[in-house]
Amino acid sequence: MFGLFKKRQAVPSAEELNRRTAAAREDVKDKWIQFNNTVRLKAEIPLSQKIDSFAQPVQQFFQIKYPVLLQGPTEIFWLTVFTAILESGTHPKEEVNAAISELRRKYARG
């Protein structure tokens, strides 16, 4: 009743959060490379749209494997995705940064 006796999850240490974030980034990088190599989208579709399409299933993956990272601000999720894509080397840095800017404008809080 009212969740009074619900067991609370322990808050991970900063070191543990860093470890999980690094592991999530590597997992997302692998998933991005696979996505980029296997999903064929029209050439005229901008990278920002591709990243947006990729982010939806990745968020579900995060809910299963890294739920603690989703408890913080959404910026943690997006920074993990963007960093993984930049580190993957599938697209030039300038193109990825332009796509990130486009997504920031799209999802900016009013």
Side-chain angles (χ1 to χ4, degrees), residues 52-90:
D52 207 12
S53 296
F54 171 73
Q56 294 170 8
V58 169
Q59 187 171 20
Q60 294 170 348
F61 168 74
F62 259 62
Q63 289 173 341
I64 294 166
K65 190 160 183 187
Y66 300 105
V68 72
L69 297 180
L70 289 176
Q71 291 176 359
T74 59
E75 286 83 4
I76 293 172
F77 170 77
W78 283 108
L79 285 173
T80 303
V81 171
F82 296 151
T83 303
I85 292 170
L86 279 167
E87 289 179 358
S88 75
T90 59

Side-chain angles (χ1 to χ4, degrees), residues 6 10-11 22 24 31 34 38-39 45 52 60 63-64 69 74 76-77 82 93 96 98 100-101 110:
K6 189 175 184 180
V11 176
K31 288 185 176 304
Q34 180 182 9
T38 59
V39 176
I45 293 179
D52 207 12
Q60 294 170 348
Q63 289 173 341
I64 294 166
L69 297 180
T74 59
I76 293 172
F77 170 77
F82 296 151
K93 181 180 178 181
V96 175
I100 291 169
S101 294

Side-chain angles (χ1 to χ4, degrees), residues 92-106:
K93 181 180 178 181
E94 297 77 21
E95 187 179 348
V96 175
N97 285 336
I100 291 169
S101 294
E102 181 64 34
L103 287 167
R104 281 189 177 144
R105 281 191 298 277
K106 178 179 178 179

